[in-house]
Amino acid sequence: MTVMQEIKKAFVERVDENELMNCMRCGFCLPSCPTYIQSGEQEIHSPRGRIAMMKAVRDGMIEADEEMRNSLDVCLGCRACEPVCPAGVQYGHLLEESRAILQEHTAYSATQKAVRHTVFHELFPKNKQMNRVVNLVGFYQRSGLQKGVRKVGFLKLFPKGMQEMERVLPPVQKEKKRQYEQKVFEAVGNKTATVAFFAGCLMDTMFNETNRATIKLLQMAGCEVHIPSDQGCCGALHGHAGEKDQAIEMAKRNISAFESMEADYIVLNAGGCGAYLAGYDHLLKDRGGWQTRAHYFASRVRDFSTVLIEKGLEDKVNLVYPSTVVTYQDSCHLRNGMNVFHEPRQLLRQVEGVEYREMPDASGCCGSAGIYTIVQPDMSLKIVDDKMEKAITTNPGVIVTANPGCLLQMKVGIERSGLAGKVEAVHLADFLLEALS
């Protein structure tokens, strides 16, 4: 059997034909798709076009050639097509399964294999390794090496996306300061809920201060916050990159780490992680008893903004911020995957001193999408430049978002727009904690 025949067989066995057939080719998805718009409205870079290719491969009408692979690679996976689809097509599931099949049948070079193994098997799944890498970033920032590297122009040897990201990385604390003093944080005032906090990988290392801010806000809302041991990366990066088997193993690890806790909710502050955790039941379907366990796990996943609203944070504390205009950029997966978009806006509107202005097309992707900024830098920068044109119309002092990748991408947009020092990009948890202080 040839490789192409193996791919066709895998599409027949693993890609849901009913889901493919649900696509009516109506085109409602086209105006919501960033890559369709930025590519000059090329059908091949639309959800409808990609679904058509998936079905054609499944039916043996075409082969999975480089054009198709490139189309799937260029897709951000933002899932903006799903809420506007009248047939309710679960495009994200089709995309991830198709990418997994193609990845399994790709002949990588020795270098590519080494890089993928290091990133997907040695770095993100292992907390110790992640901490070591982040420690190196912190040393790079504090030692003066960063200034020297920038001065001599060494960064020009790296891809454009990496150059842009290096400029906006947050200051990294030393590992000792990132460690939690305890694993249980008591509620302030009357206890209204017990929650298990999903710390994440990048969030708990690169954005540890944001995690701490989130925990404090939950405490103020009356939540007793537990941080389960043995949890790890959510697996979203792996799932989006076709590393499905590794994503499944990471999902099992997290389910095992949290299921012993009788918590009301599993709470987190990263939209991308949240949508993936909430989809564990789909990821582990047909996996015996794991699907039942995954369904229970997924049913308890909540974004922290949802819990703050439900527990009435605004009735328990005063939120005050120096007079400024604030706008909000949706995290695609928080909005499209978890259906959370009213809650962050409601919290921002309740902060005294803030004038909230809705950004045009705030639900449109910013171009971050995990490692998309590195592997598809040109498309990523086109999208963020377009996003900043819309953000600027609100004349903001602060752009708030609720996902680490989005936060870094908006910082890149601010730099590229020449607004550094005039406009600030902030995670919602950090903004609310500052208002609380």
Side-chain angles (χ1 to χ4, degrees):
M1 187 180 292
T2 67
V3 172
M4 289 302 173
Q5 289 173 329
E6 289 177 358
I7 291 174
K8 177 186 180 300
K9 182 174 182 290
F11 266 76
V12 170
E13 294 174 348
R14 294 164 51 182
V15 178
D16 190 340
E17 184 177 25
N18 291 329
E19 200 67 65
L20 291 172
M21 293 298 293
N22 282 340
C23 177
M24 303 181 297
R25 314 292 190 265
C26 65
F28 277 39
C29 59
L30 302 183
S32 68
C33 178
T35 56
Y36 175 74
I37 295 168
Q38 294 296 334
S39 67
E41 301 185 352
Q42 294 183 43
E43 184 72 18
I44 195 174
H45 290 313
S46 72
R48 180 175 69 179
R50 293 179 178 114
I51 289 174
M53 285 189 290
M54 294 173 196
K55 187 169 190 312
V57 170
R58 192 183 191 281
D59 293 344
M61 302 297 292
I62 65 172
E63 293 185 343
D65 58 12
E66 284 304 311
E67 187 176 42
M68 177 184 178
R69 290 170 182 260
N70 179 61
S71 175
L72 297 187
D73 287 343
V74 169
C75 179
L76 290 142
C78 67
R79 297 169 61 181
C81 50
E82 292 184 14
V84 300
C85 178
V89 176
Q90 296 297 300
Y91 172 79
H93 295 160
L94 294 173
L95 175 67
E96 288 190 7
E97 196 62 54
S98 298
R99 281 178 169 172
I101 293 170
L102 295 181
Q103 190 278 135
E104 291 164 12
H105 293 85
T106 298
Y108 292 110
S109 68
T111 300
Q112 289 172 323
K113 287 180 180 178
V115 170
R116 290 184 71 91
H117 179 79
T118 299
V119 172
F120 294 122
H121 294 266
E122 296 299 326
L123 178 56
F124 283 93
K126 299 180 179 180
N127 295 350
K128 287 184 178 180
Q129 295 289 74
M130 178 63 74
N131 269 299
R132 286 171 183 165
V133 171
V134 172
N135 288 342
L136 289 175
V137 174
F139 174 78
Y140 168 74
Q141 293 174 333
R142 294 187 296 269
S143 64
L145 186 59
Q146 184 178 51
K147 291 181 180 179
V149 166
R150 290 177 175 179
K151 188 174 181 179
V152 301
F154 183 69
L155 289 171
K156 293 179 181 178
L157 299 175
F158 291 86
K160 190 185 301 182
M162 291 184 68
Q163 294 179 41
E164 297 283 357
M165 279 297 158
E166 190 275 344
R167 290 160 52 190
V168 299
L169 288 176
V172 176
Q173 290 188 324
K174 292 183 178 180
E175 184 174 355
K176 189 173 182 179
K177 288 187 176 181
R178 298 198 303 264
Q179 295 173 352
Y180 297 102
E181 299 80 11
Q182 68 260 27
K183 291 294 183 180
V184 178
F185 295 81
E186 295 182 359
V188 174
N190 293 328
K191 177 180 158 183
T192 58
T194 299
V195 303
F197 184 65
F198 182 80
C201 50
L202 281 178
M203 285 305 303
D204 214 35
T205 49
M206 195 77 71
F207 298 92
N208 181 264
E209 283 298 299
T210 303
N211 269 3
R212 291 178 180 275
T214 304
I215 291 169
K216 289 178 183 177
L217 290 167
L218 290 168
Q219 288 178 277
M220 296 302 294
C223 297
E224 181 178 281
V225 184
H226 294 244
I227 306 179
S229 301
D230 299 325
Q231 61 174 296
C233 174
C234 68
L237 184 66
H238 301 72
H240 300 331
E243 296 279 347
K244 184 177 179 180
D245 289 342
Q246 186 67 24
I248 287 172
E249 291 308 309
M250 296 165 81
K252 290 178 178 179
R253 170 185 175 179
N254 285 322
I255 292 169
S256 298
F258 280 83
E259 65 186 353
S260 61
M261 272 207 63
E262 291 300 322
D264 299 299
Y265 304 122
I266 297 169
V267 183
L268 73 169
N269 55 17
C273 299
Y276 207 72
L277 294 176
Y280 272 2
D281 52 346
H282 176 80
L283 180 66
L284 293 171
K285 68 176 183 178
D286 304 323
R287 300 276 169 169
W290 278 105
Q291 185 171 8
T292 301
R293 295 165 69 181
H295 179 75
Y296 178 61
F297 177 96
S299 69
R300 293 188 294 160
V301 174
R302 299 287 189 280
D303 184 68
F304 82 103
S305 64
T306 301
V307 177
L308 295 184
I309 290 294
E310 182 180 311
K311 301 305 173 185
L313 175 70
E314 72 280 7
D315 297 327
K316 299 174 181 178
V317 298
N318 291 323
L319 296 171
V320 183
Y321 196 87
S323 180
T324 190
V325 173
V326 172
T327 193
Y328 179 73
Q329 164 61 28
D330 282 290
S331 155
C332 291
H333 287 94
L334 183 59
R335 185 183 183 107
N336 304 324
M338 296 186 71
N339 198 34
V340 174
F341 50 93
H342 291 305
E343 294 90 333
R345 290 169 169 82
Q346 183 176 336
L347 288 165
L348 290 172
R349 287 191 174 104
Q350 290 169 349
V351 179
E352 295 179 27
V354 162
E355 179 185 350
Y356 179 80
R357 295 179 187 170
E358 183 70 10
M359 183 193 305
D361 190 31
S363 61
C365 186
C366 66
S368 173
I371 60 172
Y372 192 88
T373 52
I374 297 173
V375 297
Q376 299 287 342
D378 293 336
M379 181 64 77
S380 175
L381 293 177
K382 283 181 183 179
I383 293 171
V384 76
D385 288 344
D386 182 61
K387 172 62 63 177
M388 286 306 301
E389 287 182 11
K390 295 169 181 174
I392 289 170
T393 64
T394 66
N395 193 28
V398 182
I399 300 174
V400 176
T401 189
N403 188 62
C406 301
L407 177 61
L408 291 179
Q409 185 77 336
M410 296 313 296
K411 287 179 179 289
V412 167
I414 290 170
E415 291 274 346
R416 289 174 60 83
S417 301
L419 296 173
K422 300 176 183 177
V423 180
E424 187 180 8
V426 181
H427 190 284
L428 177 62
D430 295 314
F431 184 84
L432 292 175
L433 185 64
E434 187 172 349
L436 181 62
S437 301

